[in-house]
Amino acid sequence: HYYITNNLRIMANENPMTKSWKDSNWIPQLNPHNVLAYFCQRSNLFYDKTCNNEIAKMQRLNPGQLLHMKGIEYTLLHVDEASDLMIIRKQERHSPSHVVPLANYYVLQGTIYQAPDLHHVLNSRLAGTLFHLQEALDKTLKMSRYDPNKGHYWSFDPPEPSKEEKLWNEPC
């Protein structure tokens, strides 16, 4: 499996969310008014050169014409000037009023990153939760005891150290 981005092939095990891109020449003058032009550079690995933005740029169309074109486009979604964060959305336009979001990219201090989608966020959160749950179950298992006379019971006393642990803890 491959992710196709900017006509470059990125192996499926190379998640595009681990990649970033920046052009140091733009950073001093980067602002909300030119960030979309910054993002739409052909050297940006996240930029699809077959998108409507590229077609409009090549044909010198007014950016407002993008509303009447069908296909992939990029748009500035959000600006937070206090934190120097700008979000660009990749979307597929079906009509002037119907678009389907495909991906979000954030520009932070001139570096572009792909924002994680819901699947990756949930996967990460679940992995962290399962790790801590497994740790709790392992600790619980160590406290569980069985005696033929008593049956199952819990022992909250610390377990006896093994012979190896006693040897390591002895003073030299």
Side-chain angles (χ1 to χ4, degrees):
H1 291 68
Y2 294 94
Y3 293 106
I4 305 297
T5 306
N6 190 27
N7 299 331
L8 296 174
R9 287 185 172 208
I10 299 173
M11 294 294 293
N13 59 359
E14 292 182 64
N15 188 338
M17 284 173 266
T18 63
K19 306 285 182 197
S20 65
W21 180 86
K22 80 175 179 180
D23 182 346
S24 301
N25 296 326
W26 277 72
I27 294 180
Q29 69 265 10
L30 191 61
N31 62 55
H33 303 290
N34 65 9
V35 71
L36 198 55
Y38 173 68
F39 185 89
C40 293
Q41 290 186 81
R42 296 177 68 83
S43 59
N44 177 359
L45 67 102
F46 299 113
Y47 181 61
D48 181 353
K49 292 182 255 186
T50 63
C51 70
N52 291 344
N53 300 69
E54 188 70 16
I55 294 167
K57 184 167 61 172
M58 299 303 273
Q59 295 179 3
R60 296 184 182 176
L61 299 176
N62 182 330
Q65 292 294 105
L66 288 173
L67 290 174
H68 305 290
M69 298 172 74
K70 292 182 180 178
I72 303 297
E73 66 180 32
Y74 295 90
T75 184
L76 181 59
L77 183 67
H78 178 75
V79 175
D80 182 5
E81 292 186 37
S83 64
D84 198 24
L85 171 71
M86 294 170 265
I87 299 174
I88 293 175
R89 173 171 284 166
K90 180 180 183 179
Q91 58 192 19
E92 184 171 5
R93 182 169 296 281
H94 296 283
S95 73
S97 61
H98 180 247
V99 294
V100 176
L102 300 175
N104 289 318
Y105 303 92
Y106 59 98
V107 183
L108 187 59
Q109 297 177 346
T111 304
I112 299 172
Y113 307 91
Q114 183 171 342
D117 56 12
L118 183 60
H119 166 77
H120 285 91
V121 170
L122 290 177
N123 190 26
S124 174
R125 297 295 177 128
L126 285 173
T129 301
L130 289 175
F131 171 78
H132 293 294
L133 187 58
Q134 184 65 45
E135 276 189 337
L137 290 173
D138 288 344
K139 287 180 181 180
T140 310
L141 185 61
K142 290 177 183 176
M143 293 181 222
S144 174
R145 304 282 186 264
Y146 177 77
D147 183 291
N149 295 329
K150 296 181 187 177
H152 288 280
Y153 67 99
W154 297 99
S155 174
F156 297 105
D157 298 327
E160 268 303 304
S162 66
K163 289 181 182 179
E164 294 86 23
E165 289 175 325
K166 287 181 182 177
L167 288 174
W168 281 105
N169 291 332
E170 280 185 8
C172 292

